[in-house]
Amino acid sequence: MEQLAEAAGITVRTLRFYRERKLIPPPRREGRIAWYDDTHLARLRTIAALLERGHTLSGIAELAEAFDQGRDVGDLLGLGAPTEEVPVRLTPEELADHFGDQATSENLAAALDLGYLGTDGGEIVHISRRLLDVSAALVREGVPLADVLSAGRRVREHAEALATLFTDLILTQPGRTTEDLARLRPLAKSVAEAELSLAMDRRLRESTNQQGGS
């Protein structure tokens, strides 16, 4: 314990307090000896970084609990990594840098449940760099992260329906295989992007007309 406290730049008393608050996992024990490792040191450095960013100890404890209960990224991705999306490894403090005071335990739990986030040892993994960047951009524009995640869940439902529609369209044709589905995948994306663009045009015109008539 003394060695860990010294490495983390804190007092043994503070370390005991963190243990009592369950901010760090218990040590591995061999008889009466308690062994701490790099995972504990990384957690202590994370606590210090989050405190510097204005998070409270209660909030950090809730984040730690959500993080410890998160799904392993291997289970999240299934049999393989995304074929087009780029996963991003993040420390908890880097996640806080992306979302500021929106990086609450509730939002973290929602992102874990949605499947945007998974865990890999002492790191958090976001399944898509594009989704991470867009989510952070919307938060910077003043959209609450809780609303972004709620919208993401609804988009997921529509995306699953579109993927099923296109999969059925291709694979129900005689002689078609999953190789054909993979080869024609860009066409499905083009249709979805074009339809979304046209739908946004319609919404913009409707909103403009409503504002002009008010």
Side-chain angles (χ1 to χ4, degrees), residues 17-25 43-44 47 56-62 64 68:
F17 176 72
Y18 288 167
R19 277 189 53 187
E20 291 170 359
R21 295 290 298 271
K22 298 182 179 180
L23 290 169
I24 62 172
R43 177 63 64 85
L44 290 173
I47 292 170
T56 65
L57 284 176
S58 296
I60 293 172
E62 292 174 354
D68 290 339

Side-chain angles (χ1 to χ4, degrees), residues 21 54 100 104 127 160 210:
R21 295 290 298 271
T104 63
I127 62 169
E160 291 286 352
Q210 289 174 359

Side-chain angles (χ1 to χ4, degrees), residues 68-79:
D68 290 339
Q69 294 178 356
R71 283 184 291 172
D72 183 86
V73 69
D75 296 334
L76 185 66
L77 296 178
L79 297 177

Side-chain angles (χ1 to χ4, degrees), residues 76-132:
L76 185 66
L77 296 178
L79 297 177
T83 57
E84 295 184 349
E85 299 306 305
V86 179
V88 184
R89 293 181 176 274
L90 301 162
T91 62
E93 56 267 37
E94 287 172 338
L95 189 66
D97 286 340
H98 274 86
F99 297 108
D101 60 2
Q102 298 284 306
T104 63
S105 58
E106 292 83 5
N107 286 335
L108 177 57
L112 288 164
D113 182 62
L114 181 58
Y116 279 3
L117 298 178
T119 60
D120 184 16
E123 291 182 307
I124 299 171
V125 180
H126 197 293
I127 62 169
S128 167
R129 163 65 72 181
R130 287 197 293 181
L131 287 174
L132 174 63

Side-chain angles (χ1 to χ4, degrees), residues 1 11 15 19-20 24 85 96 105 113 121 139-140 144-145 149 154 161 167 185 187 191:
M1 181 177 285
T11 65
L15 178 55
R19 277 189 53 187
E20 291 170 359
I24 62 172
E85 299 306 305
S105 58
D113 182 62
V139 169
R140 289 194 298 272
L145 181 56
L149 294 171
R154 296 179 61 188
T167 299
R185 175 176 175 165
L187 300 181
V191 171

Side-chain angles (χ1 to χ4, degrees), residues 168-209:
D168 292 344
L169 175 66
I170 299 301
L171 295 184
T172 54
Q173 305 302 313
R176 293 295 188 180
T177 68
T178 53
E179 292 182 357
D180 295 306
L181 180 62
R183 180 172 56 84
L184 298 174
R185 175 176 175 165
L187 300 181
K189 293 172 57 180
S190 294
V191 171
E193 290 175 359
E195 287 289 356
L196 178 59
S197 178
L198 292 169
M200 288 299 298
D201 286 340
R202 290 191 290 270
R203 297 299 176 274
L204 285 167
R205 285 194 294 270
E206 290 172 4
S207 298
T208 300
N209 292 336

